[in-house]
Each structure stands twice: as C-alpha cells, then as structure tokens.
C-alpha cells in the first residue's frame, strides 16, 4: 500500500512538473507560431513524453478506480455505523444487539446546562468519550444558555429531554406532563435542529402516561444503573470518582459494585462532578470499559 502511494505521488509530481513546463512554454508558442508547426517541431521530443503520460494515465486510472472502491467502502461503513448496535434492558442497562462490544458503559449528565455543562462537554470531547446531556427548559431560557446547548450538540453529544421544569411527573396532571415533555422537545429541536431521542424523568419518577407519550415521540425512556453525585457524602470530586469507578458507595448503602457491562451511569451538571469527570472516564477505561456512543442505541424512532 505504501509503495502504491509512493508511485502515485511520484506520478502526480511528474504530471505537475509537466503541467508547469507546458504553462511556461505555451504563451510564447501560441503567440509566435502556428499550431501545426509547433507539433511538427516538437514531434520527436514529445514522443517520450507521450509514453510517460500514457503510463501516468494508466496509473491515474487505477488510482481513480481505487478511490471509487474506497468511497463505496466508506459509504457501507457509515451505513453500518448508523444501524443500532445496542438495546436497553428492563434494568436500564444496554446489551449488544449483534456482535458489538458488551463491555461498555453509558455516560449521562442530567440537569444541564447549569454552569458546568460546556466544560464537561469539552472534557469528554478531549477524552473522545460520547455521552447524553439531559437538559431542562428552565436552564435554557436565555440566549446564552441556548448557545451552550447548541455548542454541546455540535460537539457531537446527544441532547436528551429531562422535562421543561424538572417537576415530579407523578405529582402533576397528564396535561401538565404533556406540556413538560413536548415544550422541551420543541425547544431542543429549535436549537439543535434535531428532535431528542432520549428521555429521563426527573427523579426517575415515571408515569404510564409519560411512558406512552415519550414512546409516541420516538424517544427512549431511561432511568439509570447507578449514580452518586447527588448524595451528600459524594459531593466531592475524589470520593465521587472512586465511587463511580468502583460502582460502590458504602456511605449510601451500596456496599457491592453496581458496575457491569452496559451500565447506565448517572451524573449531573455539578462542580464536583465536573472536577471528577476525567478521572471517572479514565478509571472506567482502565478496567476495560468503552464509553457507549448514544448514536448506536436502538430507540423508538428507529422503528
Ligand atoms: Zn434531574
């Protein structure tokens, strides 16, 4: 392959050299001499050039064909990538649909954007770690906050619906639940140009009404496997990082690790979580876990 590239580069260099020679000669020749004479005069000299050129043509043609093949392969790969490769289980964790790597975890950041979200997105981007940012409408009322959500989306992160004003859906009417969910989906689409594909209820408090509505809207509803940054003992970067990496939080009665393949990890837009984020991702990777790309998750919008 490397040899071929060298040949192709050499070929291109020769074509370029030939082009620049021609460019230098052409103006004089065209001004001073009739075209036929020029051809006669240069016949002998050009014989060799033609031979070289035909070899180059051949190489170029091969190169073109190869390019076409590469393009076709790329297109196939993209289509392959877009096919869902993970589905959610009853316990909010993810398993491979076919032969995707089972040792992955999903990173999610709730209650965004509330001060740390952009920096958290930048940290994750630098680590090449995908995630879902679950946003609330109340945090997106200013032009500035909407710009942050737009940027996070443009950085490649999924923007999920966490309701407009973060109320417990079990305490409000169906009409209010609809408003909480739909008005935020519309706002997200207005900002990012894309409908959200994921939904998480505040406090994980779901209702049958919301479940159905969310599915009708093409969103996947999820709670989480574990998350500790909203428990007092873990509102500190170092302790939080350890708890997230080990999956254990003995100070809130989680003595055994909840970390496992496909785990759905809950974090929030908080200072201590922001501070711990890089260590969390690296610690999970050290144990062999990949970060699950939300684009690969099967959602009702895929049906
Ligand atoms: Zn929340």
């Amino acid at each position: 392959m490397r040899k071929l590239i060298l040949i192709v580069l050499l070929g291109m260099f020769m074509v370029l050299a030939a082009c620049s020679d021609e460019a230098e000669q052409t103006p004089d020749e065209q001004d001073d001499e009739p075209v036929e004479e020029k051809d006669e005069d240069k016949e002998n000299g050009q014989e060799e050039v033609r031979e070289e050129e035909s070899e180059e043509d051949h190489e170029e043609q091969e190169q073109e064909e190869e390019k076409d093949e590469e393009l076709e392969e790329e297109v196939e790969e993209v289509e392959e990538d877009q096919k869902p490769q993970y589905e959610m289980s009853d316990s909010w964790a993810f398993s491979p649909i076919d032969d995707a790597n089972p040792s992955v975890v999903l990173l999610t950041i709730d209650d965004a954007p509330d001060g740390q979200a952009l920096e958290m997105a930048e940290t994750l981007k630098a680590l090449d770690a995908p995630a879902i940012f679950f946003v609330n409408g109340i945090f997106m009322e200013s032009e500035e906050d909407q710009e942050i959500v737009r940027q996070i989306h443009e950085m490649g992160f999924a923007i999920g619906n966490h309701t407009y004003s973060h109320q417990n859906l079990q305490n409000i009417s169906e009409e209010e639940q609809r408003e909480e969910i739909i008005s935020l989906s519309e706002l997200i689409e207005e900002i990012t140009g894309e409908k959200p594909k994921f939904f998480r209820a505040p406090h994980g408090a779901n209702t049958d009404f919301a479940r159905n509505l969310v599915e009708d809207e093409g969103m996947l509803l999820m709670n989480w496997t574990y998350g500790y940054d909203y428990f007092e003992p873990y509102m500190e970067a170092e302790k939080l990082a350890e708890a997230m990496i080990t999956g254990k939080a003995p100070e809130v009665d989680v003595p055994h690790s909840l970390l496992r393949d496909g785990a759905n990890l809950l974090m929030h837009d908080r200072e201590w979580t922001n501070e711990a984020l890089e260590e969390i991702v690296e610690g999970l990777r050290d144990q062999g876990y990949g970060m699950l790309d939300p684009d690969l998750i099967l959602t009702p919008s895929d049906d």
Side-chain angles (χ1 to χ4, degrees):
M1 190 61 194
R2 191 169 287 175
K3 204 172 171 190
L4 188 74
I5 289 169
L6 267 177
I7 292 170
V8 168
L9 279 175
L10 195 65
M12 283 169 76
F13 177 72
M14 285 164 80
V15 171
L16 280 175
C19 287
S20 62
D21 278 358
E22 255 170 51
E24 273 166 27
Q25 284 170 12
T26 305
D28 286 344
E29 282 167 5
Q30 274 185 348
D31 288 348
D32 301 336
E33 293 169 79
V35 177
E36 292 119 53
E37 261 184 49
K38 180 195 82 181
D39 279 349
E40 271 170 356
D41 286 350
K42 298 190 75 185
E43 214 165 70
N44 290 337
Q46 279 192 342
E47 207 68 81
E48 273 176 46
V49 175
R50 270 194 209 119
E51 234 167 74
E52 273 173 35
E53 270 175 5
S54 79
E55 263 173 47
E56 281 158 18
D57 284 350
H58 187 61
E59 273 165 19
E60 269 175 48
Q61 206 177 323
E62 273 181 5
Q63 191 189 348
E64 291 281 311
E65 277 165 19
E66 218 167 272
K67 256 192 218 160
D68 287 348
E69 274 167 34
E70 273 171 28
L71 272 180
E72 270 166 38
E73 271 169 35
E74 261 172 46
V75 169
E76 272 166 31
E77 267 172 36
V78 166
E79 276 168 8
E80 190 71 23
D81 279 348
Q82 280 168 347
K83 252 190 0 202
Q85 292 178 29
Y86 293 87
E87 59 191 350
M88 198 178 66
S89 69
D90 294 340
S91 57
W92 320 114
F94 297 88
S95 46
I97 292 172
D98 292 319
D99 52 359
N101 174 20
S103 296
V104 292
V105 291
L106 176 68
L107 303 177
T108 65
I109 316 285
D110 283 16
D111 304 0
D114 189 21
Q116 322 291 323
L118 187 57
E119 203 180 311
M120 292 174 91
E122 282 162 355
T123 301
L124 291 172
K125 183 81 187 165
L127 293 165
D128 198 18
I132 304 174
F133 283 79
F134 280 103
V135 299
N136 295 106
I138 45 166
F139 296 133
M140 297 159 59
E141 286 176 348
S142 75
E143 188 54 47
E144 219 180 329
D145 288 325
Q146 293 183 4
E147 183 53 34
I148 287 172
V149 172
R150 188 176 298 122
Q151 279 183 47
I152 294 173
H153 176 259
E154 271 169 22
M155 287 163 86
F157 295 100
I159 304 298
N161 183 325
H162 193 41
T163 74
Y164 196 91
S165 61
H166 208 274
Q167 293 186 62
N168 186 327
L169 296 176
Q170 294 174 354
N171 297 339
I172 59 177
S173 72
E174 290 183 351
E175 211 30 65
E176 285 166 322
Q177 292 179 52
R178 175 187 297 280
E179 182 63 22
E180 281 289 320
I181 294 165
I182 301 295
S183 64
L184 177 57
S185 278
E186 286 172 355
L187 181 58
I188 291 172
E189 190 176 3
E190 203 182 297
I191 292 170
T192 65
E194 229 180 292
K195 281 186 168 190
K197 286 164 65 182
F198 304 101
F199 176 83
R200 181 178 278 154
H203 320 289
N206 296 299
T207 67
D208 288 340
F209 177 82
R211 249 182 250 274
N212 290 331
L213 177 62
V214 162
E215 192 176 345
D216 288 347
E217 290 295 309
M219 292 186 281
L220 180 69
L221 178 147
M222 64 176 75
N223 283 8
W224 57 90
T225 309
Y226 68 85
Y228 303 121
D229 67 355
Y230 54 109
F231 293 105
E232 218 285 317
Y234 298 97
M235 292 180 180
E236 190 266 309
E238 221 164 290
K239 281 179 81 172
L240 175 64
E242 197 195 336
M244 290 306 289
I245 292 165
T246 61
K248 285 189 283 195
E251 289 178 57
V252 291
D253 288 330
V254 187
H256 305 294
S257 177
L258 299 177
L259 175 60
R260 59 192 170 90
D261 283 357
N264 186 334
L265 306 189
L266 168 64
M267 293 177 280
H268 292 81
D269 180 328
R270 302 280 188 272
E271 268 176 58
W272 48 92
T273 313
N274 181 20
E275 206 185 316
L277 194 53
E278 183 173 348
E279 199 184 332
I280 291 171
V281 172
E282 283 171 349
L284 291 165
R285 281 182 172 157
D286 284 347
Q287 296 177 81
Y289 289 98
M291 303 301 126
L292 173 52
D293 182 351
D295 282 346
L296 302 180
I297 296 173
L298 179 71
T299 71
S301 64
D302 292 309
D303 295 342

